[in-house]
């Protein structure tokens, strides 16, 4: 007879298999918005062609799970071809051609065979909690959901005629909000999460390697914007000549600005002389007059320059945590799990969990505000911080994926927090960290300013 612990382990594995199936359905649906003739396009020069990602999601799962399941590789050349994405930081871009990649039917057959092989092995009953396998399944699910967001912002860059339009929910009723700063008193911020003392606790506290070990830091008082910087506010920066004022940009950022001829946010489209209503915003499936009350999506370099123009700075990772999860009252209970409290992410709390293709007006979800009254900290756009992506004390790389985080502790990537409309709910946990290069303008990333 199976023990209670064994039943719990089997049940947990069943839940994870269901989550894996759901995540597959989400990425399958995403690929269907791309017209067949566009599958060999490269919407972003720094990324692989779309066809790579069709094979990559399955190759990753296979390469990850083979040691635990004993699956026999059947097409090792595809396992290698689709194994790794790219993130060039020194200007080198891929030079491959569409003809260098397998035919679509070959990739589709590979995907089908990998899934069938993995599912047959995963469906076999396994005694015990099998915490190692559960961790790998968590990784497989979240890796796929991360790519669901990566693919979305890649597809955002495809010409409209290369996509099949999908419905978009109605915009929530807009609130009239005015930019303002909120003073945050001194306090503590807990970054990361603690490893469980037992196998069961470790499973329940899954996180990527860069989320460990938890660290508590004192945060001096500071001010922070109640709302993300909007397109309206950023338009003022453009009209004031912000892209032409060298003093607002670091030397590296200024060099990028000049070499790439960057003059406005990537999601904006300049029409006419580029003033006021002559700007448009590229949605996923359309183009519309610039929505002035939406959060602006920009690179870290552009966000930093705007903050300097305001005489302020981007918040640090610790300041973001203090503002999002802390309490303004002395002696109050510990930090919240989410800005609004302990309840898991749900409808009415923010624009997240792949529910929309595009942003909504800032301040549209007052039920998601933090204890300090700060809004939109979760969803509607990742938030740039001033903190370079670096390990916490006690960091240990995943033995099965040693380069996941460690390869990017290079001072060339910055932490973003929060999440966007295309971020799955399970990755809205307080400890989750994302990161990007400072000159990468394609991600759904906005910002707010802080002052000392």
């Amino acid at each position: 007879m199976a023990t209670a612990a064994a039943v719990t382990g089997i049940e947990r594995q069943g839940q994870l298999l269901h989550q894996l199936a759901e995540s597959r359905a989400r990425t399958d649906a995403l690929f269907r918005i791309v017209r067949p003739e566009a599958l060999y396009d490269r919407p972003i020069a720094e990324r692989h062609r779309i066809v790579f990602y069709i094979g990559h999601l399955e190759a990753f799962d296979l390469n990850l799970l083979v040691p635990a399941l004993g699956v026999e590789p059947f097409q090792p050349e595809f396992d290698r071809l689709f194994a790794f994405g790219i993130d060039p930081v020194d200007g080198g871009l891929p030079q491959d051609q569409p003809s260098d990649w397998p035919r679509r039917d070959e990739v589709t057959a590979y995907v089908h065979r990998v899934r069938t092989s993995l599912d047959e092995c995963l469906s076999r009953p396994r005694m015990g909690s099998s915490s190692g396998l559960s961790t790998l399944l968590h990784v497989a699910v979240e890796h796929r959901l991360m790519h669901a967001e990566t693919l979305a912002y890649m597809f955002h860059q495809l010409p409209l005629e290369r996509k099949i339009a999908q419905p978009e929910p109605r915009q929530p009723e807009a609130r009239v909000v005015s930019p303002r700063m909120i003073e945050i008193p001194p306090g503590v911020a807990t970054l990361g999460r603690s490893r469980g003392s037992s196998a069961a606790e470790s499973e329940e506290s899954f996180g990527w390697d860069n989320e460990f070990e938890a660290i508590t830091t004192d945060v001096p008082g500071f001010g922070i914007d109640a709302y993300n910087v909007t397109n309206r506010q950023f338009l003022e920066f453009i009209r004031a000549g912000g892209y032409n004022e060298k003093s607002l940009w670091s030397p590296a950022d200024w060099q990028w600005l000049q070499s790439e001829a960057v003059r406005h946010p990537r999601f904006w489209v300049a029409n006419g002389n580029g003033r006021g209503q002559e700007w448009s915003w590229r949605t996923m499936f359309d183009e519309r007059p610039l929505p002035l009350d939406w959060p602006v999506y920009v690179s870290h370099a552009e966000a930093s320059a705007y903050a300097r123009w305001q005489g302020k700075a981007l918040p640090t990772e610790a300041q973001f945590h203090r503002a999002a999860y802390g309490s303004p009252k002395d002696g109050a209970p510990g930090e919240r799990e989410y800005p609004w409290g302990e309840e898991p992410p749900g409808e009415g709390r923010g624009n997240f969990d792949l529910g929309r293709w595009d942003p909504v007006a800032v301040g549209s979800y007052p039920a998601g505000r933090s204890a300090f009254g700060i809004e939109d900290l979760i969803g509607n756009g990742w938030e740039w911080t001033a903190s370079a992506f670096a390990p916490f004390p006690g960091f240990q790389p995943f033995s099965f994926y040693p380069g996941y985080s460690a390869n990017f502790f290079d001072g060339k990537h910055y932490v973003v927090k929060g999440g966007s409309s295309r971020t799955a709910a399970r990755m809205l946990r307080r400890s989750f960290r994302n990161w990007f290069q400072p000159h990468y303008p394609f991600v759904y990333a906005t910002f707010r300013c802080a002052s000392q």
Side-chain angles (χ1 to χ4, degrees):
M1 178 179 294
T3 64
V7 172
T8 300
I10 292 170
E11 290 175 344
R12 184 177 294 112
Q13 183 176 319
Q15 293 170 354
L16 286 167
L17 293 179
H18 177 69
Q19 293 167 14
L20 180 59
E22 287 186 327
S23 67
R24 285 173 175 172
R26 283 181 152 178
T27 51
D28 288 349
L30 195 54
F31 283 119
R32 287 196 290 270
I33 76 173
V34 181
R35 296 191 180 278
E37 61 270 23
L39 288 175
Y40 289 80
D41 288 2
R42 192 198 309 276
I44 296 176
E46 293 90 343
R47 294 284 176 250
H48 278 308
R49 298 180 186 277
I50 294 170
V51 67
F52 163 83
Y53 297 93
I54 299 175
H56 170 65
L57 296 174
E58 310 313 321
F60 179 90
D61 290 352
L62 184 67
N63 291 327
L64 176 72
L65 294 167
V66 156
L69 299 178
V71 178
E72 192 68 30
F74 54 85
Q75 204 165 354
E77 68 275 15
F78 275 24
D79 300 343
R80 293 188 296 270
L81 177 66
F82 294 117
F84 299 108
I86 47 178
D87 181 37
V89 295
D90 296 316
L93 298 177
Q95 300 297 317
D96 57 275
Q97 299 301 313
S99 58
D100 296 329
W101 293 91
R103 300 190 314 270
R104 181 186 180 185
D105 61 329
E106 294 177 305
V107 179
T108 302
Y110 172 77
V111 168
H112 176 74
R113 190 169 178 184
V114 169
R115 286 190 186 179
T116 300
S117 180
L118 289 178
D119 290 352
E120 286 178 353
C121 289
L122 290 168
S123 65
R124 298 169 189 162
R126 295 172 182 273
M127 302 300 291
S129 65
S130 187
S131 60
L133 178 58
S134 292
T135 296
L136 296 178
L137 288 172
H138 275 294
V139 168
V141 170
E142 294 203 2
H143 169 265
R144 186 175 290 266
L145 291 172
M146 288 179 199
H147 272 293
E149 180 163 357
T150 302
L151 289 166
Y153 74 68
M154 281 179 57
F155 296 171
H156 214 118
Q157 301 302 316
L158 273 174
L160 299 178
E161 66 274 11
R162 308 286 277 179
K163 295 177 281 191
I164 301 171
Q166 305 292 306
E168 174 82 347
R170 292 183 61 183
Q171 290 273 315
E173 185 175 351
R175 295 167 58 217
V176 178
V177 299
S178 299
R180 61 190 176 94
M181 296 202 84
I182 291 178
E183 293 300 317
I184 309 297
V188 299
T190 302
L191 282 64
R193 60 194 302 123
S194 298
R195 294 185 178 90
S197 57
S198 67
E201 289 175 340
S202 295
E203 271 187 44
E204 292 301 321
S205 61
F206 170 77
W208 293 84
D209 55 7
N210 66 76
E211 297 178 54
F212 299 99
E213 181 66 30
I215 179 173
T216 299
T217 182
D218 291 321
V219 182
F222 64 99
I224 193 167
D225 287 339
Y227 308 101
N228 293 128
V229 172
T230 63
N231 288 323
R232 175 184 285 107
Q233 291 171 282
F234 205 84
L235 181 59
E236 296 174 1
F237 170 73
I238 291 178
R239 288 176 169 173
Y243 279 85
N244 299 315
E245 182 49 65
K246 189 175 182 179
S247 64
L248 298 175
W249 306 79
S250 73
D253 293 348
W254 182 255
Q255 181 179 5
W256 166 73
L257 205 69
Q258 302 310 306
S259 63
E260 300 296 326
V262 178
R263 294 295 178 266
H264 58 78
R266 180 75 185 197
F267 288 82
W268 293 23
V269 179
N271 302 310
N273 60 11
R275 296 187 62 84
Q277 67 272 22
E278 283 80 27
W279 290 102
S280 298
W281 206 92
R282 184 197 299 273
T283 69
M284 178 63 92
F285 300 110
D286 202 358
E287 195 173 296
R288 58 177 292 177
L290 185 66
L292 296 176
D293 53 359
W294 285 11
V296 66
Y297 285 173
V298 289
S299 67
H300 185 273
E302 291 163 299
S304 299
Y306 177 94
R308 294 188 191 100
W309 179 65
Q310 289 284 325
K312 301 172 185 176
L314 297 181
T316 64
E317 186 176 4
Q319 286 175 329
F320 179 94
H321 272 257
R322 173 72 179 141
Y325 308 111
S327 172
K329 298 178 181 178
D330 293 336
E335 296 159 284
R336 297 174 168 185
E337 184 60 30
Y338 300 99
W340 55 82
E342 303 307 309
E343 295 181 12
E347 188 175 356
R349 298 292 191 184
N351 179 19
F352 45 65
D353 202 27
L354 293 83
R356 293 179 177 276
W357 297 103
D358 295 297
V360 299
V362 302
S364 292
Y365 296 96
R369 64 167 63 104
S370 75
F372 293 105
I374 302 168
E375 303 197 23
D376 302 322
L377 290 155
I378 300 292
N380 218 31
W382 291 96
E383 299 202 18
W384 287 110
T385 74
S387 299
F389 183 54
F392 295 143
F395 168 78
Q396 297 175 12
F398 280 152
S399 60
F400 53 85
Y401 196 173
Y404 172 72
S405 299
N407 287 354
F408 303 96
F409 296 150
D410 55 6
K412 299 178 181 180
H413 294 77
Y414 287 84
V415 174
V416 293
K417 295 290 296 185
S420 79
S421 66
R422 306 305 299 176
T423 304
R426 64 180 289 144
M427 292 182 291
L428 299 175
R429 58 182 177 270
R430 188 175 71 188
S431 59
F432 189 84
R433 309 167 80 201
N434 206 346
W435 65 93
F436 293 99
Q437 298 178 39
H439 304 148
Y440 194 62
F442 306 103
V443 69
Y444 300 139
T446 183
F447 69 103
R448 64 186 79 220
C449 298
S451 63
Q452 302 303 322

